Amino acid sequence: FSNSNVDVRGRVGNTGVFGSVSNQSNQGPIQFLGGYFRNTVRANIDQRWNEKISLGIQSFYSTQRSQGDNQDF
């Protein structure tokens, strides 16, 4: 089992940014069957113009692969 995360956060003036990357892998219970793998990426940006007006954008992408499900023996 392996899980890795990297996060970055910052603010410049009225603009804030956040980004993260994650990788997870889990070996299968049977030798030569790969197991479960997942990768994710997230990016957020927010902008504040004044006390009443702000805008935020969030994005997220994920892929996963599972080997060994529904195998015929």
Side-chain angles (χ1 to χ4, degrees):
F1 177 78
S2 171
N3 190 12
S4 303
N5 296 310
V6 176
D7 297 336
V8 177
R9 181 181 308 250
R11 181 168 292 281
V12 177
N14 292 331
T15 304
V17 295
F18 172 80
S20 70
V21 177
S22 176
N23 176 296
Q24 178 183 357
S25 64
N26 192 1
Q27 286 294 328
I30 301 172
Q31 189 175 6
F32 305 117
L33 293 181
Y36 177 76
F37 304 93
R38 181 176 65 191
N39 297 305
T40 61
V41 177
R42 178 181 301 273
N44 300 344
I45 300 174
D46 63 83
Q47 176 68 43
R48 181 173 298 277
W49 282 281
N50 57 40
E51 291 292 320
K52 296 181 181 181
I53 299 175
S54 65
L55 174 69
I57 298 173
Q58 294 95 29
S59 63
F60 179 78
Y61 178 75
S62 178
T63 61
Q64 65 181 9
R65 184 178 76 233
S66 182
Q67 297 177 341
D69 294 343
N70 300 323
Q71 294 290 322
D72 294 329
F73 290 99

